[in-house]
Amino acid sequence: MEIPPSHYPATRAAVVAVNYINYQHGSPNKIFTLQKVTKASTEDIPDVGHKYHLKFSLEDILHQDNAINCTAEILYLLSNQRTAPQVHFTVEGEFKKNTDEADNKFYNRIKSLQEPLVAQNIPDNYGNTSPEMEPISHLARVACGYIIWQNSTENTLYNLFQIRDVKQVVSNAPISALG
Amino acid sequence: MNCLMVNNQRRERGTSNFNYGAYHPLESIYAALDDLAAEYPSLVSKQEIGESYEKRPMYILKFSTGGTSRSAIWLDAGIHSREWITQATALWTAQKIASEYGNNPSVTSLLNRMDIFLLVVTNPDGYAFTHTNNRMWRKTRSKNSGSLCVGVDPNRNWDAGFGGPGASTNPCSESYHGPSANSEVEVKNVVNFIKSHGKIKAFLTLHSYSQLLLFPFGYKCTNPADYNELDTVGKAAASALASLYGTTYKVGTICSTIYQASGGSIDWSYDYGIKYSFAFELRDTGRYGFLLPASQIIPTAEETWLGLLKIMEHVRDNQS
Protein backbone atom coordinates (compact mmCIF):
# COMPACT_ATOMS: atom_id res chain seq x y z
CA MET A 1 0.00 0.00 0.00
CA GLU A 2 1.46 3.34 -1.08
CA ILE A 3 1.71 5.96 1.63
CA PRO A 4 2.53 9.68 1.34
CA PRO A 5 6.32 9.98 1.28
CA SER A 6 6.14 13.41 2.89
CA HIS A 7 4.23 12.34 6.00
CA TYR A 8 5.52 11.07 9.29
CA PRO A 9 4.86 7.35 8.96
CA ALA A 10 7.35 7.29 6.06
CA THR A 11 9.67 9.77 7.82
CA ARG A 12 9.80 7.59 10.94
CA ALA A 13 10.84 4.53 8.95
CA ALA A 14 13.39 6.49 6.92
CA VAL A 15 14.97 7.89 10.08
CA VAL A 16 15.40 4.33 11.40
CA ALA A 17 17.22 3.42 8.20
CA VAL A 18 19.42 6.53 8.35
CA ASN A 19 20.39 5.82 11.95
CA TYR A 20 21.20 2.25 11.02
CA ILE A 21 23.33 3.51 8.13
CA ASN A 22 25.18 5.92 10.44
CA TYR A 23 25.81 3.08 12.88
CA GLN A 24 27.17 0.87 10.10
CA HIS A 25 29.08 3.46 8.07
CA GLY A 26 29.44 6.62 10.09
CA SER A 27 32.72 7.99 11.43
CA PRO A 28 34.05 11.16 13.05
CA ASN A 29 34.03 12.63 9.54
CA LYS A 30 31.10 10.91 7.96
CA ILE A 31 27.48 11.29 9.07
CA PHE A 32 24.37 11.09 6.94
CA THR A 33 21.12 12.96 7.30
CA LEU A 34 17.80 12.30 5.61
CA GLN A 35 17.14 14.69 2.77
CA LYS A 36 13.83 13.56 1.30
CA VAL A 37 11.67 10.46 1.03
CA THR A 38 10.54 10.11 -2.57
CA LYS A 39 8.52 6.91 -2.46
CA ALA A 40 7.00 4.88 0.36
CA SER A 41 4.77 1.87 0.72
CA THR A 42 3.84 -0.50 3.50
CA GLU A 43 3.31 -4.23 3.51
CA ASP A 44 1.65 -6.26 6.20
CA ILE A 45 3.32 -9.60 6.80
CA PRO A 46 0.87 -11.74 8.82
CA ASP A 47 2.30 -13.02 12.10
CA VAL A 48 5.61 -11.29 11.42
CA GLY A 49 5.17 -7.54 11.28
CA HIS A 50 4.84 -4.46 9.18
CA LYS A 51 7.35 -3.70 6.42
CA TYR A 52 8.12 -0.30 4.89
CA HIS A 53 9.59 -0.02 1.40
CA LEU A 54 11.28 3.33 0.90
CA LYS A 55 13.20 5.35 -1.62
CA PHE A 56 14.94 8.34 -0.13
CA SER A 57 17.93 10.60 -0.55
CA LEU A 58 20.68 11.13 1.99
CA GLU A 59 23.25 13.80 2.34
CA ASP A 60 26.62 13.64 4.00
CA ILE A 61 26.72 16.33 6.70
CA LEU A 62 30.17 17.39 5.52
CA HIS A 63 29.41 17.30 1.79
CA GLN A 64 25.92 18.60 1.47
CA ASP A 65 25.97 19.24 -2.28
CA ASN A 66 26.06 15.53 -2.96
CA ALA A 67 22.75 13.70 -2.61
CA ILE A 68 22.93 9.91 -2.31
CA ASN A 69 19.94 7.84 -3.41
CA CYS A 70 18.90 4.92 -1.23
CA THR A 71 16.40 2.12 -1.30
CA ALA A 72 15.54 0.46 1.99
CA GLU A 73 13.24 -2.03 3.64
CA ILE A 74 12.43 -1.61 7.28
CA LEU A 75 10.58 -4.46 8.99
CA TYR A 76 9.01 -3.63 12.33
CA LEU A 77 8.38 -6.89 14.11
CA LEU A 78 5.13 -7.55 15.97
CA SER A 79 4.98 -5.44 19.10
CA ASN A 80 5.17 -8.26 21.62
CA GLN A 81 8.73 -8.98 20.55
CA ARG A 82 10.99 -6.20 21.73
CA THR A 83 13.51 -6.57 18.95
CA ALA A 84 15.04 -3.95 16.76
CA PRO A 85 13.50 -3.36 13.33
CA GLN A 86 15.27 -5.21 10.57
CA VAL A 87 16.85 -2.87 8.05
CA HIS A 88 18.15 -3.72 4.59
CA PHE A 89 19.37 -0.99 2.27
CA THR A 90 21.23 -0.34 -0.95
CA VAL A 91 22.77 2.88 -2.18
CA GLU A 92 23.28 4.09 -5.71
CA GLY A 93 27.00 4.04 -6.26
CA GLU A 94 28.79 3.98 -2.95
CA PHE A 95 29.44 6.19 0.00
CA LYS A 96 32.04 7.85 -2.16
CA LYS A 97 33.95 9.92 0.30
CA ASN A 98 36.81 8.04 1.89
CA THR A 99 37.46 9.64 5.22
CA ASP A 100 40.25 7.36 6.49
CA GLU A 101 42.81 10.13 6.43
CA ALA A 102 40.65 12.60 8.33
CA ASP A 103 39.54 9.89 10.76
CA ASN A 104 43.14 8.87 11.46
CA LYS A 105 44.09 12.50 11.99
CA PHE A 106 41.30 12.79 14.57
CA TYR A 107 42.35 9.54 16.22
CA ASN A 108 45.94 10.70 16.52
CA ARG A 109 44.89 14.09 17.88
CA ILE A 110 42.75 12.47 20.57
CA LYS A 111 45.39 9.88 21.37
CA SER A 112 48.05 12.51 21.91
CA LEU A 113 46.06 14.84 24.17
CA GLN A 114 47.91 15.71 27.38
CA GLU A 115 44.75 15.25 29.42
CA PRO A 116 41.86 12.95 28.55
CA LEU A 117 39.14 14.93 26.85
CA VAL A 118 36.24 16.06 29.01
CA ALA A 119 33.38 18.20 27.69
CA GLN A 120 29.73 19.05 28.20
CA ASN A 121 26.84 20.28 26.09
CA ILE A 122 27.76 19.63 22.49
CA PRO A 123 26.25 21.59 20.86
CA ASP A 124 25.70 24.17 23.58
CA ASN A 125 22.21 25.37 24.47
CA TYR A 126 22.44 27.94 21.66
CA GLY A 127 23.23 25.35 18.97
CA ASN A 128 26.94 26.11 18.71
CA THR A 129 29.66 23.48 18.31
CA SER A 130 33.34 24.37 18.22
CA PRO A 131 35.31 22.94 15.27
CA GLU A 132 37.41 20.72 17.58
CA MET A 133 34.24 19.13 18.91
CA GLU A 134 32.59 18.45 15.55
CA PRO A 135 34.16 14.98 15.16
CA ILE A 136 33.07 14.16 18.73
CA SER A 137 29.51 15.11 17.87
CA HIS A 138 29.67 12.89 14.80
CA LEU A 139 30.98 10.01 16.90
CA ALA A 140 27.99 10.49 19.18
CA ARG A 141 25.70 10.26 16.16
CA VAL A 142 27.31 6.96 15.18
CA ALA A 143 26.72 5.57 18.66
CA CYS A 144 23.19 6.99 18.82
CA GLY A 145 22.56 5.47 15.42
CA TYR A 146 22.79 2.11 17.14
CA ILE A 147 20.68 3.15 20.13
CA ILE A 148 17.98 4.70 17.98
CA TRP A 149 17.85 1.73 15.60
CA GLN A 150 17.60 -0.73 18.47
CA ASN A 151 14.82 1.17 20.23
CA SER A 152 12.66 2.34 17.34
CA THR A 153 9.11 1.28 16.69
CA GLU A 154 6.61 2.34 14.05
CA ASN A 155 5.42 5.03 16.46
CA THR A 156 8.68 6.59 17.58
CA LEU A 157 10.85 9.26 16.00
CA TYR A 158 14.06 9.57 17.98
CA ASN A 159 16.65 12.25 17.42
CA LEU A 160 19.92 13.12 19.09
CA PHE A 161 20.01 16.72 20.32
CA GLN A 162 22.93 17.16 22.61
CA ILE A 163 25.86 15.39 24.18
CA ARG A 164 25.44 16.21 27.87
CA ASP A 165 28.77 14.80 28.96
CA VAL A 166 31.71 13.25 27.22
CA LYS A 167 34.75 11.80 28.91
CA GLN A 168 37.63 10.17 27.15
CA VAL A 169 38.62 6.89 28.73
CA VAL A 170 42.18 5.84 28.08
CA SER A 171 42.56 2.15 27.38
CA ASN A 172 44.67 -0.15 25.28
CA ALA A 173 41.93 -0.52 22.71
CA PRO A 174 41.09 2.31 20.29
CA ILE A 175 39.20 5.35 21.61
CA SER A 176 36.18 4.85 23.79
CA ALA A 177 33.99 7.70 24.93
CA LEU A 178 31.21 7.82 27.47
CA GLY A 179 28.33 10.17 27.39
CA MET B 1 13.92 59.47 40.09
CA ASN B 2 15.86 56.27 39.25
CA CYS B 3 12.84 54.60 37.65
CA LEU B 4 12.31 57.59 35.40
CA MET B 5 15.91 57.46 34.25
CA VAL B 6 15.72 53.76 33.44
CA ASN B 7 12.59 54.30 31.38
CA ASN B 8 14.23 57.11 29.44
CA GLN B 9 17.29 54.99 28.80
CA ARG B 10 15.09 52.25 27.41
CA ARG B 11 13.33 54.63 25.10
CA GLU B 12 16.55 56.12 23.82
CA ARG B 13 18.07 52.75 23.02
CA GLY B 14 15.10 51.80 20.88
CA THR B 15 14.57 48.73 18.83
CA SER B 16 17.31 49.52 16.30
CA ASN B 17 19.88 48.39 18.88
CA PHE B 18 18.13 45.15 19.76
CA ASN B 19 19.80 42.11 18.27
CA TYR B 20 16.95 40.14 16.68
CA GLY B 21 19.48 37.58 15.51
CA ALA B 22 20.21 36.27 18.99
CA TYR B 23 18.35 34.29 21.66
CA HIS B 24 17.35 36.44 24.62
CA PRO B 25 16.21 35.71 28.16
CA LEU B 26 12.65 36.59 29.14
CA GLU B 27 13.47 39.97 30.68
CA SER B 28 15.15 41.15 27.47
CA ILE B 29 12.22 40.03 25.36
CA TYR B 30 9.82 41.90 27.63
CA ALA B 31 12.01 45.01 27.40
CA ALA B 32 11.95 44.73 23.61
CA LEU B 33 8.13 44.64 23.67
CA ASP B 34 8.15 47.92 25.58
CA ASP B 35 10.61 49.39 23.12
CA LEU B 36 8.43 48.46 20.16
CA ALA B 37 5.37 50.04 21.77
CA ALA B 38 7.40 53.16 22.50
CA GLU B 39 8.86 53.36 19.01
CA TYR B 40 5.52 52.93 17.21
CA PRO B 41 3.05 54.44 19.65
CA SER B 42 0.28 55.05 17.15
CA LEU B 43 0.34 51.43 15.96
CA VAL B 44 1.62 49.19 18.75
CA SER B 45 0.42 48.80 22.32
CA LYS B 46 1.20 46.22 24.97
CA GLN B 47 -1.53 44.51 26.98
CA GLU B 48 -1.42 41.98 29.78
CA ILE B 49 -3.81 39.07 29.28
CA GLY B 50 -3.13 37.42 32.63
CA GLU B 51 -0.34 35.77 34.56
CA SER B 52 1.42 32.46 34.32
CA TYR B 53 1.41 29.78 37.01
CA GLU B 54 4.45 31.35 38.63
CA LYS B 55 2.86 34.77 38.34
CA ARG B 56 4.81 36.08 35.37
CA PRO B 57 2.85 38.52 33.22
CA MET B 58 1.68 37.34 29.82
CA TYR B 59 1.97 40.26 27.41
CA ILE B 60 0.50 40.60 23.96
CA LEU B 61 1.26 43.29 21.43
CA LYS B 62 -1.73 44.83 19.72
CA PHE B 63 -1.18 46.24 16.24
CA SER B 64 -4.06 48.56 15.39
CA THR B 65 -4.67 51.65 13.32
CA GLY B 66 -7.87 52.42 15.19
CA GLY B 67 -11.50 51.66 14.51
CA THR B 68 -13.84 49.99 16.96
CA SER B 69 -14.13 46.24 17.41
CA ARG B 70 -12.29 45.36 14.24
CA SER B 71 -11.73 41.79 13.19
CA ALA B 72 -8.32 40.54 14.17
CA ILE B 73 -5.61 37.97 13.58
CA TRP B 74 -4.05 36.09 16.49
CA LEU B 75 -0.44 34.86 16.40
CA ASP B 76 1.34 33.13 19.28
CA ALA B 77 4.74 31.57 19.85
CA GLY B 78 6.63 29.68 22.54
CA ILE B 79 3.79 27.56 23.91
CA HIS B 80 6.44 24.84 24.11
CA SER B 81 9.24 26.64 25.85
CA ARG B 82 12.23 24.79 24.36
CA GLU B 83 11.24 25.82 20.83
CA TRP B 84 13.38 28.95 21.04
CA ILE B 85 13.25 29.74 17.33
CA THR B 86 9.53 30.51 17.76
CA GLN B 87 9.83 33.27 20.37
CA ALA B 88 12.75 34.75 18.41
CA THR B 89 10.78 34.60 15.14
CA ALA B 90 7.73 36.18 16.77
CA LEU B 91 9.76 39.07 18.13
CA TRP B 92 11.33 39.73 14.73
CA THR B 93 7.87 39.53 13.19
CA ALA B 94 6.57 42.14 15.63
CA GLN B 95 9.26 44.54 14.51
CA LYS B 96 8.57 43.65 10.87
CA ILE B 97 4.83 44.34 11.11
CA ALA B 98 5.48 47.67 12.80
CA SER B 99 8.04 48.79 10.26
CA GLU B 100 6.07 47.60 7.23
CA TYR B 101 2.97 49.61 8.05
CA GLY B 102 3.00 52.59 5.73
CA ASN B 103 5.70 51.01 3.56
CA ASN B 104 4.30 47.73 2.34
CA PRO B 105 0.93 48.20 0.59
CA SER B 106 -0.33 44.76 1.60
CA VAL B 107 0.52 45.15 5.28
CA THR B 108 -0.86 48.69 5.22
CA SER B 109 -4.20 47.62 3.75
CA LEU B 110 -4.35 44.73 6.20
CA LEU B 111 -3.82 46.94 9.23
CA ASN B 112 -6.20 49.54 7.89
CA ARG B 113 -8.94 46.93 8.15
CA MET B 114 -7.90 44.46 10.81
CA ASP B 115 -5.92 44.31 14.04
CA ILE B 116 -3.14 41.85 14.83
CA PHE B 117 -2.53 40.41 18.29
CA LEU B 118 0.87 38.82 18.93
CA LEU B 119 1.79 36.75 21.99
CA VAL B 120 5.55 36.28 21.81
CA VAL B 121 5.99 34.13 24.93
CA THR B 122 2.94 31.97 25.60
CA ASN B 123 4.73 29.93 28.28
CA PRO B 124 6.98 32.33 30.21
CA ASP B 125 7.59 30.00 33.17
CA GLY B 126 8.80 27.28 30.84
CA TYR B 127 10.94 29.74 28.90
CA ALA B 128 12.62 31.02 32.05
CA PHE B 129 13.24 27.40 33.09
CA THR B 130 14.96 26.63 29.78
CA HIS B 131 17.46 29.37 30.58
CA THR B 132 18.08 28.57 34.23
CA ASN B 133 17.66 24.81 34.58
CA ASN B 134 16.79 22.64 31.64
CA ARG B 135 17.18 23.74 28.05
CA MET B 136 14.86 20.93 26.94
CA TRP B 137 11.87 21.86 29.09
CA ARG B 138 8.61 21.78 27.09
CA LYS B 139 5.69 22.00 29.45
CA THR B 140 4.31 24.55 31.89
CA ARG B 141 5.70 24.59 35.42
CA SER B 142 2.52 23.85 37.29
CA LYS B 143 2.65 21.41 40.20
CA ASN B 144 0.76 18.18 39.71
CA SER B 145 -1.08 17.01 42.80
CA GLY B 146 0.01 13.58 43.88
CA SER B 147 3.10 13.58 41.70
CA LEU B 148 6.70 14.72 41.97
CA CYS B 149 6.67 15.55 38.29
CA VAL B 150 6.01 19.11 37.23
CA GLY B 151 4.18 20.60 34.30
CA VAL B 152 1.47 20.01 31.75
CA ASP B 153 1.87 19.97 27.98
CA PRO B 154 0.06 23.20 27.13
CA ASN B 155 -0.67 21.95 23.63
CA ARG B 156 -2.63 18.98 24.92
CA ASN B 157 -4.60 21.07 27.39
CA TRP B 158 -7.11 22.78 25.05
CA ASP B 159 -10.75 21.83 24.94
CA ALA B 160 -10.62 19.87 21.70
CA GLY B 161 -10.95 16.14 22.05
CA PHE B 162 -9.36 16.66 25.46
CA GLY B 163 -7.95 13.51 26.97
CA GLY B 164 -8.13 11.59 23.72
CA PRO B 165 -5.36 9.77 21.82
CA GLY B 166 -1.95 11.35 21.51
CA ALA B 167 -1.87 12.82 25.01
CA SER B 168 -0.68 11.22 28.21
CA THR B 169 -2.42 10.72 31.55
CA ASN B 170 0.95 10.54 33.29
CA PRO B 171 2.14 13.79 34.92
CA CYS B 172 5.73 12.77 34.24
CA SER B 173 5.13 12.60 30.50
CA GLU B 174 6.14 15.39 28.14
CA SER B 175 2.67 15.21 26.64
CA TYR B 176 0.68 15.07 29.90
CA HIS B 177 -2.67 16.69 29.13
CA GLY B 178 -3.32 17.94 32.65
CA PRO B 179 -6.20 17.23 35.03
CA SER B 180 -8.78 18.96 32.82
CA ALA B 181 -9.11 21.14 29.73
CA ASN B 182 -7.86 24.70 30.35
CA SER B 183 -6.41 23.66 33.71
CA GLU B 184 -3.27 25.57 32.71
CA VAL B 185 -3.67 29.26 33.43
CA GLU B 186 -1.56 30.08 30.37
CA VAL B 187 -4.09 28.32 28.13
CA LYS B 188 -7.05 29.76 30.03
CA ASN B 189 -5.73 33.30 29.57
CA VAL B 190 -5.57 32.89 25.80
CA VAL B 191 -9.00 31.25 25.63
CA ASN B 192 -10.52 34.07 27.70
CA PHE B 193 -8.92 36.71 25.51
CA ILE B 194 -10.09 35.10 22.27
CA LYS B 195 -13.62 34.57 23.57
CA SER B 196 -14.03 38.07 24.98
CA HIS B 197 -12.58 39.69 21.86
CA GLY B 198 -15.21 37.97 19.80
CA LYS B 199 -13.88 38.84 16.34
CA ILE B 200 -10.72 36.82 15.90
CA LYS B 201 -10.69 35.52 12.32
CA ALA B 202 -7.39 33.65 12.25
CA PHE B 203 -5.50 31.70 14.90
CA LEU B 204 -1.86 31.13 14.00
CA THR B 205 0.66 29.43 16.26
CA LEU B 206 4.40 28.81 15.98
CA HIS B 207 6.16 25.62 17.00
CA SER B 208 9.38 23.93 16.04
CA TYR B 209 10.76 21.83 14.57
CA SER B 210 10.01 19.89 11.35
CA GLN B 211 9.18 22.44 8.65
CA LEU B 212 5.47 21.75 8.45
CA LEU B 213 2.40 23.88 7.98
CA LEU B 214 -0.48 22.14 9.68
CA PHE B 215 -4.21 22.67 9.99
CA PRO B 216 -6.95 20.79 11.88
CA PHE B 217 -7.61 18.20 12.96
CA GLY B 218 -5.18 16.54 15.32
CA TYR B 219 -7.62 15.06 17.81
CA LYS B 220 -9.42 13.11 15.10
CA CYS B 221 -8.27 11.79 11.77
CA THR B 222 -11.11 13.16 9.71
CA ASN B 223 -10.73 16.22 7.52
CA PRO B 224 -12.21 19.57 8.51
CA ALA B 225 -15.14 20.90 6.46
CA ASP B 226 -12.86 23.65 5.12
CA TYR B 227 -10.15 21.20 4.09
CA ASN B 228 -9.89 22.38 0.49
CA GLU B 229 -9.55 26.05 1.34
CA LEU B 230 -7.11 25.48 4.20
CA ASP B 231 -5.00 23.17 2.07
CA THR B 232 -4.92 25.69 -0.79
CA VAL B 233 -4.00 28.58 1.48
CA GLY B 234 -1.44 26.42 3.26
CA LYS B 235 0.22 25.40 0.04
CA ALA B 236 0.35 29.01 -1.14
CA ALA B 237 1.93 30.02 2.16
CA ALA B 238 4.49 27.20 2.01
CA SER B 239 5.35 28.17 -1.53
CA ALA B 240 5.86 31.82 -0.55
CA LEU B 241 8.02 30.71 2.38
CA ALA B 242 10.17 28.50 0.16
CA SER B 243 10.68 31.27 -2.39
CA LEU B 244 13.23 33.03 -0.18
CA TYR B 245 15.81 30.40 0.76
CA GLY B 246 14.40 27.19 -0.68
CA THR B 247 13.24 25.90 2.71
CA THR B 248 10.62 23.25 1.98
CA TYR B 249 7.57 22.79 4.16
CA LYS B 250 4.99 20.00 4.01
CA VAL B 251 1.35 20.99 4.30
CA GLY B 252 -1.50 18.93 5.70
CA THR B 253 -3.74 18.09 8.62
CA ILE B 254 -2.07 17.34 11.93
CA CYS B 255 -3.35 13.78 12.08
CA SER B 256 -2.32 12.71 8.60
CA THR B 257 0.97 14.59 8.47
CA ILE B 258 2.40 13.77 11.86
CA TYR B 259 0.21 11.88 14.30
CA GLN B 260 -3.05 11.99 16.16
CA ALA B 261 -2.77 14.40 19.09
CA SER B 262 -5.68 15.60 21.20
CA GLY B 263 -6.17 18.88 23.06
CA GLY B 264 -4.27 21.07 20.61
CA SER B 265 -4.77 24.80 20.25
CA ILE B 266 -5.67 25.05 16.57
CA ASP B 267 -8.26 22.28 16.89
CA TRP B 268 -9.91 24.28 19.67
CA SER B 269 -9.80 27.53 17.70
CA TYR B 270 -11.20 25.85 14.59
CA ASP B 271 -14.04 24.16 16.47
CA TYR B 272 -14.69 27.48 18.21
CA GLY B 273 -15.37 28.97 14.78
CA ILE B 274 -12.04 30.45 13.75
CA LYS B 275 -11.72 28.96 10.30
CA TYR B 276 -8.16 30.04 9.53
CA SER B 277 -6.34 27.99 12.14
CA PHE B 278 -2.77 27.03 11.28
CA ALA B 279 0.27 25.76 13.13
CA PHE B 280 3.77 26.29 11.77
CA GLU B 281 6.55 23.91 12.71
CA LEU B 282 9.61 26.02 11.91
CA ARG B 283 13.21 25.00 11.05
CA ASP B 284 14.92 22.62 10.95
CA THR B 285 14.22 18.98 10.09
CA GLY B 286 16.32 17.46 12.86
CA ARG B 287 20.01 18.24 12.42
CA TYR B 288 19.83 20.81 15.24
CA GLY B 289 16.17 20.42 16.20
CA PHE B 290 15.39 22.64 19.16
CA LEU B 291 19.02 23.81 19.37
CA LEU B 292 18.86 25.82 16.15
CA PRO B 293 21.91 28.08 15.91
CA ALA B 294 21.18 31.79 16.27
CA SER B 295 22.58 32.42 12.80
CA GLN B 296 19.35 30.88 11.47
CA ILE B 297 16.99 33.15 13.42
CA ILE B 298 16.73 35.96 10.91
CA PRO B 299 16.58 33.75 7.79
CA THR B 300 13.88 31.67 9.49
CA ALA B 301 11.94 34.76 10.50
CA GLU B 302 12.26 36.31 7.04
CA GLU B 303 10.97 33.25 5.22
CA THR B 304 8.24 32.54 7.78
CA TRP B 305 7.05 36.11 7.39
CA LEU B 306 6.28 35.47 3.72
CA GLY B 307 4.18 32.46 4.68
CA LEU B 308 2.38 34.33 7.46
CA LEU B 309 1.69 37.29 5.19
CA LYS B 310 0.18 35.02 2.54
CA ILE B 311 -2.25 33.61 5.09
CA MET B 312 -3.06 37.03 6.54
CA GLU B 313 -3.75 38.45 3.08
CA HIS B 314 -6.18 35.64 2.42
CA VAL B 315 -7.91 36.29 5.73
CA ARG B 316 -8.08 40.00 4.97
CA ASP B 317 -9.62 39.33 1.55
CA ASN B 318 -12.03 36.63 2.67
CA GLN B 319 -13.17 37.62 6.12
CA SER B 320 -16.89 37.58 6.65
Side-chain angles (χ1 to χ4, degrees), chain A residues 6-8 61 125 127 141 159, chain B residues 135 210 250 256-257 286 291:
Chain A
S6 59
H7 290 184
Y8 260 32
I61 246 178
N125 287 345
R141 279 195 194 277
N159 194 13
Chain B
R135 174 63 178 82
S210 287
K250 297 158 193 172
S256 68
T257 310
L291 304 182

Side-chain angles (χ1 to χ4, degrees), chain A residues 5-9 11-12 33-34 61 64 123-129 134 138 141 159-162 164, chain B residues 23 84 130-131 134-136 209-210 212 250-251 256-259 285-294:
Chain A
S6 59
H7 290 184
Y8 260 32
T11 303
R12 287 192 280 263
T33 54
L34 176 67
I61 246 178
Q64 281 170 1
D124 67 17
N125 287 345
Y126 297 79
N128 306 310
T129 306
E134 288 275 1
H138 298 155
R141 279 195 194 277
N159 194 13
L160 168 67
F161 290 123
Q162 193 180 52
R164 284 286 161 77
Chain B
Y23 293 114
W84 280 14
T130 60
H131 283 270
N134 181 352
R135 174 63 178 82
M136 288 298 171
Y209 58 96
S210 287
L212 305 169
K250 297 158 193 172
V251 180
S256 68
T257 310
I258 47 176
Y259 40 70
T285 53
R287 164 97 192 265
Y288 290 101
F290 305 119
L291 304 182
L292 196 69

Side-chain angles (χ1 to χ4, degrees), chain B residues 40-106:
Chain B
Y40 301 93
S42 54
L43 179 67
V44 184
S45 58
K46 188 184 84 169
Q47 281 176 221
E48 184 176 325
I49 62 167
E51 290 181 333
S52 68
Y53 182 83
E54 291 175 340
K55 303 279 181 262
R56 292 182 173 83
M58 289 176 65
Y59 293 128
I60 56 172
L61 289 181
K62 177 181 182 180
F63 298 82
S64 180
T65 59
T68 34
S69 69
R70 283 186 177 170
S71 297
I73 292 168
W74 169 272
L75 174 60
D76 69 67
I79 192 170
H80 288 141
S81 40
R82 63 188 178 194
E83 297 167 11
W84 280 14
I85 187 60
T86 68
Q87 298 94 335
T89 293
L91 200 49
W92 182 96
T93 303
Q95 209 282 334
K96 183 69 170 172
I97 294 171
S99 64
E100 290 284 78
Y101 180 72
N103 294 312
N104 176 311
S106 189

Side-chain angles (χ1 to χ4, degrees), chain B residues 102-125:
Chain B
N103 294 312
N104 176 311
S106 189
V107 175
T108 305
S109 78
L110 174 76
L111 284 168
N112 283 342
R113 286 195 246 166
M114 300 182 76
D115 296 340
I116 298 174
F117 291 99
L118 176 48
L119 176 57
V120 173
V121 189
T122 307
N123 179 6
D125 296 348

Side-chain angles (χ1 to χ4, degrees), chain A residues 14-67:
Chain A
V15 164
V16 171
V18 174
N19 276 284
Y20 178 78
I21 290 169
N22 279 333
Y23 162 61
Q24 293 280 339
H25 294 276
S27 84
N29 294 284
K30 191 190 295 171
I31 287 292
F32 299 101
T33 54
L34 176 67
Q35 200 182 58
K36 191 181 162 146
V37 182
T38 48
K39 202 163 153 62
S41 63
T42 57
E43 180 192 347
D44 188 54
I45 304 175
D47 299 328
V48 177
H50 210 198
K51 186 185 272 194
Y52 286 71
H53 300 263
L54 303 178
K55 283 197 191 310
F56 56 90
S57 54
L58 291 180
E59 59 189 24
D60 181 334
I61 246 178
L62 292 176
H63 305 281
Q64 281 170 1
D65 45 348
N66 217 27

Side-chain angles (χ1 to χ4, degrees), chain A residues 57-143:
Chain A
S57 54
L58 291 180
E59 59 189 24
D60 181 334
I61 246 178
L62 292 176
H63 305 281
Q64 281 170 1
D65 45 348
N66 217 27
I68 302 161
N69 292 325
C70 276
T71 306
E73 281 178 6
I74 299 96
L75 172 60
Y76 295 102
L77 298 167
L78 288 175
S79 57
N80 55 7
Q81 301 166 250
R82 290 179 60 81
T83 21
Q86 287 176 11
V87 181
H88 297 281
F89 73 94
T90 54
V91 291
E92 245 169 61
E94 278 175 5
F95 294 127
K96 290 196 174 71
K97 289 288 168 189
N98 183 304
T99 56
D100 288 352
E101 193 184 320
D103 292 340
N104 281 328
K105 205 168 155 197
F106 168 72
Y107 172 70
N108 288 322
R109 168 164 81 87
I110 293 298
K111 198 170 170 207
S112 54
L113 288 174
Q114 302 278 46
E115 297 289 329
L117 182 143
V118 171
Q120 290 87 32
N121 287 359
I122 302 166
D124 67 17
N125 287 345
Y126 297 79
N128 306 310
T129 306
S130 65
E132 309 82 62
M133 291 301 163
E134 288 275 1
I136 306 276
S137 76
H138 298 155
L139 210 52
R141 279 195 194 277
V142 174

